Amino acid sequence: MKNIRNMDVEWGYTGETGPEHWHTLCDWFSLGAKYPYQSPVNLTKTLISENTADREITFFYKNEEFTEKEFKNTFHFVPPNTESYVVFEGEKYYLTDIHFHTPSEHTFEGEHCPLEFHLVHMNNSGENLVVGCLFILTKEINKFSKDQAAFIWQTETHQQWFNPAIFLPEQRSHFHYLGSLTTPPTKGPVHWFVFDTVQQMDHDFFQRIDEGMLPFNNRPVQPLNGRKIYFSE
Ligand SMILES: [Zn+2]
């Protein structure tokens, strides 16, 4: 086992560096994997422990600049000014990264969706909160379509201006549970919020950002180990 802690440890989704081996690749990954509540998980309404209204998350998203980057086996929109944030239990978590997984990492009633976007947030103590949004692809007019005046993609540059709220469904009902990062070092705790509404993603827009990406980059579903899943209407 390599006794290093850096971003250079190679990991992937198949073979000897695949998900079942991540915890053996270095001490840092090994430590993260020891957190008992790992992500993703299967989400099903029959497992809901309590139907509570106090698991509310409030979005304070703004139109801001995002830089397109490719690292950690996927495509990312990174906001250099981190102006958008959410509030959960009185704590501010700033949006630091948007990326996607194909197929979805979370499953609904055991079923994957073709696509899951993660909006990754961090508070001032370095704790993570991730919002998961599941999608199917469509060629019909949708909110990500090129011709939608509210949303013009600059495909020539790697800079974009948009309001990250575009990734959120109108219907804000969501699952909430305590989990981990789904990529090495898979550390926790991470507050997860996953909308139960499956949205439509523009085929052409997605094809552009998916170009050259791995055919699949989803970590398999992890055991619940007795943890609670919450659902807010
Ligand atoms: Zn992710």
Side-chain angles (χ1 to χ4, degrees):
M1 190 179 290
K2 291 177 196 167
N3 208 358
I4 48 174
R5 175 190 166 149
N6 60 35
M7 302 300 281
D8 299 329
V9 179
E10 284 199 22
W11 58 270
Y13 288 93
T14 53
E16 290 178 359
T17 59
E20 63 272 37
H21 302 293
W22 288 349
H23 68 285
T24 68
L25 299 176
C26 69
D27 287 351
W28 187 32
F29 295 179
S30 172
L31 187 65
K34 286 197 172 79
Y35 182 68
Y37 297 153
Q38 292 286 309
S39 292
V41 296
N42 178 45
L43 296 168
T44 161
K45 289 183 185 171
T46 57
L47 279 175
I48 303 306
S49 315
E50 280 172 69
N51 211 338
T52 53
D54 61 358
R55 302 284 158 171
E56 283 307 311
I57 178 171
T58 315
F59 291 86
F60 295 90
Y61 280 0
K62 299 184 175 88
N63 197 50
E64 66 171 308
E65 184 184 11
F66 288 84
T67 306
E68 299 181 353
K69 293 181 177 170
E70 289 174 19
F71 61 92
K72 287 191 182 178
N73 293 310
T74 190
F75 175 99
H76 299 255
F77 288 113
V78 179
N81 303 318
T82 55
E83 291 172 10
S84 297
Y85 63 93
V86 298
V87 172
F88 173 61
E89 292 182 335
E91 185 77 18
K92 273 188 187 179
Y93 295 82
Y94 288 89
L95 180 66
T96 58
D97 180 83
I98 302 173
H99 64 266
F100 64 83
H101 300 264
T102 51
S104 68
E105 296 204 297
H106 290 91
T107 53
F108 291 153
E109 314 287 344
E111 300 286 331
H112 288 277
C113 273
L115 177 61
E116 178 171 346
F117 270 84
H118 286 161
L119 295 101
V120 183
H121 306 73
M122 190 183 277
N123 69 6
N124 287 333
S125 312
E127 295 163 337
N128 286 119
L129 180 155
V130 186
V131 173
C133 303
L134 276 66
F135 291 88
I136 56 167
L137 291 168
T138 183
K139 290 185 174 178
E140 288 170 17
I141 294 290
N142 62 85
K143 63 182 176 179
F144 292 93
S145 298
K146 203 174 177 180
D147 301 333
Q148 297 300 295
F151 203 61
I152 299 162
W153 290 101
Q154 305 293 332
T155 50
E156 291 78 26
T157 70
H158 292 287
Q159 306 294 120
Q160 308 289 354
W161 281 85
F162 62 87
N163 187 326
I166 187 144
F167 288 96
L168 309 178
E170 266 176 48
Q171 168 70 27
R172 297 284 169 86
S173 55
H174 59 264
F175 294 97
H176 167 67
Y177 76 96
L178 217 49
S180 72
L181 299 177
T182 66
T183 55
T186 67
K187 68 186 173 81
V190 172
H191 291 290
W192 274 96
F193 292 83
V194 181
F195 292 110
D196 66 324
T197 300
V198 176
Q199 302 180 78
Q200 295 203 325
M201 167 58 62
D202 188 71
H203 176 270
D204 293 340
F205 164 64
F206 183 67
Q207 207 168 37
R208 182 178 73 79
I209 64 173
D210 191 40
E211 200 184 349
M213 294 294 114
L214 293 172
F216 63 92
N217 66 338
N218 66 302
R219 185 189 195 194
V221 161
Q222 304 293 305
L224 281 177
N225 287 341
R227 82 190 104 164
K228 289 183 173 178
I229 306 280
Y230 299 93
F231 186 77
S232 295
E233 289 289 349

